[in-house]
Amino acid sequence: MQDRPLHLLRGEETRWQIGQILKTLREADVCVLSPGAHAAVMAAASTLEPADVVTLDRDNDIHAPIGFVVLPEPVVLVNRGGGISDTVAFGWQFITQHQVLPTSTYPGVQLTTFMDRGGPVQPAEWRMVVAQARANHMPLPPFVPDGVYGLRGDRAAAEKTDADLAAMNAEHRRLNQALNQVARPNTHSDVGEWDGGRIEDVNDDFAARCMFAFWRLASHGTTTIGPVAPRRSSPSPEATTPAAAERDVRVVRLTHQIPAQRTDPESPGRDRVYNRRWPVRMHKVRQWYPSLQEHSVIWRGPYIKGPADAPLVMGEKAYLVD
């Protein structure tokens, strides 16, 4: 459970949740992912297991207590029941989470996903909602809240052994396999690479894996959060508060790029220079730190391989929009 008052009624809880989302939008440190950093984050997220996410240390892994990150393009998700949606942004804020049995509290992170109002997934029902809101002079915002998740941020599984983590992952898979058989038989698990296509989110954990990858890659230097981007125009009339009018936006870029050259077997002594860039898969290791007498999960890779001025190729994509 999150840090909302336990006595709230249904209507009051809705207003409380809206207030939490508005707080994120007002106060967040805003980041925009570059295409290269986006590819690295997606490749990293696809390698994560459920137990990895429980090693999150919010005070050391997350650069800001309230943040908002925008993807360079919407990510299309296939959920547990087979429905399709898209995600274009994530917002987060630090909270205190409450556990009922046994009673306890611990540091947590409230994560909100946002879908793209005009994104690639446009079923008839959604188009009707957008049109009705516009007709009522209350148009939907470009980023529409889609879901809220709670993550532990106290390194709950950081001291677990490899056997303990494997058992946690196996239990998570067994539980989700049972749920998937009810919602959608014959589902397939996520693959460990990302080529720009749809994400099979049958375990409903993509948001947690994606943001965990973003935070960890930034904290370990694989990506870098740049300085405030210069404003190209004056604030819009809709910016009614100083915070909205003076919002700082940072660009998150990939820090490592490996030139892609190899010897041409048909022309010994000559190098073949590739004309594209692509993401190379990351992997994670549990590094032992003698000075701390503890293990810590660190990332090696991912990175973008290829000439810096070549186009980034993610593979072919086809979306079902109806």
Side-chain angles (χ1 to χ4, degrees):
M1 297 181 64
Q2 298 168 3
D3 62 346
R4 63 178 181 272
L6 299 178
H7 64 277
L8 290 181
L9 301 177
R10 183 181 298 273
E12 295 173 331
E13 182 173 349
T14 299
R15 287 190 292 272
W16 176 87
Q17 188 65 69
I18 292 174
Q20 291 291 97
I21 295 173
L22 291 176
K23 178 182 177 181
T24 298
L25 295 175
R26 283 195 306 266
E27 303 178 16
D29 183 273
V30 181
C31 300
V32 177
L33 283 182
S34 71
H38 177 52
V41 168
M42 295 297 292
S46 68
T47 69
L48 292 171
E49 295 282 359
D52 297 325
V53 180
V54 194
T55 66
L56 177 67
D57 180 352
R58 73 177 194 183
D59 294 327
N60 293 317
D61 290 334
I62 304 179
H63 69 278
I66 302 179
F68 191 83
V69 59
V70 182
L71 308 182
E73 63 176 354
V75 174
V76 176
L77 305 173
V78 183
N79 63 32
R80 189 192 305 278
I84 300 177
S85 63
D86 57 66
T87 297
V88 72
F90 298 90
W92 74 85
Q93 59 178 292
F94 288 1
I95 60 171
T96 298
Q97 291 187 311
H98 300 269
Q99 181 173 293
V100 178
L101 294 174
T103 302
S104 65
T105 61
Y106 46 85
V109 181
Q110 179 178 277
L111 179 62
T112 304
T113 61
F114 292 81
M115 58 183 175
D116 188 349
R117 180 187 62 191
V121 180
Q122 292 285 313
E125 295 85 355
W126 176 248
R127 292 196 296 267
M128 182 178 65
V129 169
V130 173
Q132 186 65 47
R134 187 177 295 113
N136 292 335
H137 305 289
M138 298 179 63
L140 297 179
F143 298 158
V144 181
D146 186 35
V148 179
Y149 301 84
L151 284 71
R152 293 192 67 154
D154 59 349
R155 303 176 72 245
E159 307 303 324
K160 299 289 186 180
T161 65
D162 291 341
D164 292 334
L165 296 177
M168 292 173 62
N169 291 326
E171 183 63 27
H172 179 85
R173 284 191 292 269
R174 283 194 295 269
L175 173 62
N176 279 281
Q177 285 172 358
L179 294 173
N180 293 337
Q181 287 300 315
V182 175
R184 182 160 59 107
N186 303 319
T187 55
H188 301 282
S189 58
D190 289 342
V191 296
E193 299 284 354
W194 185 67
D195 62 358
R198 298 176 182 175
I199 299 295
E200 291 279 345
D201 192 24
V202 295
N203 297 330
D204 193 30
D205 62 354
F206 166 76
R209 289 187 289 114
C210 182
M211 288 309 299
F212 179 87
F214 168 73
W215 291 324
R216 273 289 173 89
L217 292 179
S219 67
H220 289 167
T222 304
T223 60
T224 179
I225 301 176
V228 176
R231 300 185 182 89
R232 297 184 179 180
S233 60
S234 58
S236 64
E238 288 78 10
T240 57
T241 65
E246 301 176 3
R247 180 59 54 89
D248 295 335
V249 178
R250 307 176 188 277
V251 178
V252 182
R253 303 183 188 278
L254 199 63
T255 56
H256 302 296
Q257 173 122 345
I258 307 300
Q261 295 183 347
R262 65 180 177 87
T263 301
D264 188 343
E266 299 180 358
S267 303
R270 296 180 60 186
D271 287 336
R272 175 180 298 173
V273 180
Y274 290 87
N275 59 4
R276 63 186 181 92
R277 294 181 298 148
W278 68 95
V280 175
R281 179 176 176 167
M282 68 162 292
H283 65 281
K284 58 185 181 296
V285 296
R286 287 171 57 84
Q287 179 70 45
W288 173 254
Y289 288 88
S291 60
L292 301 176
Q293 290 296 297
E294 64 179 25
H295 285 90
S296 180
V297 176
I298 65 173
W299 306 110
R300 291 178 180 164
Y303 52 85
I304 299 298
K305 194 169 184 179
D309 57 350
L312 181 66
V313 177
M314 299 304 304
E316 296 182 356
K317 293 178 283 187
Y319 298 133
L320 178 67
V321 298
D322 58 355

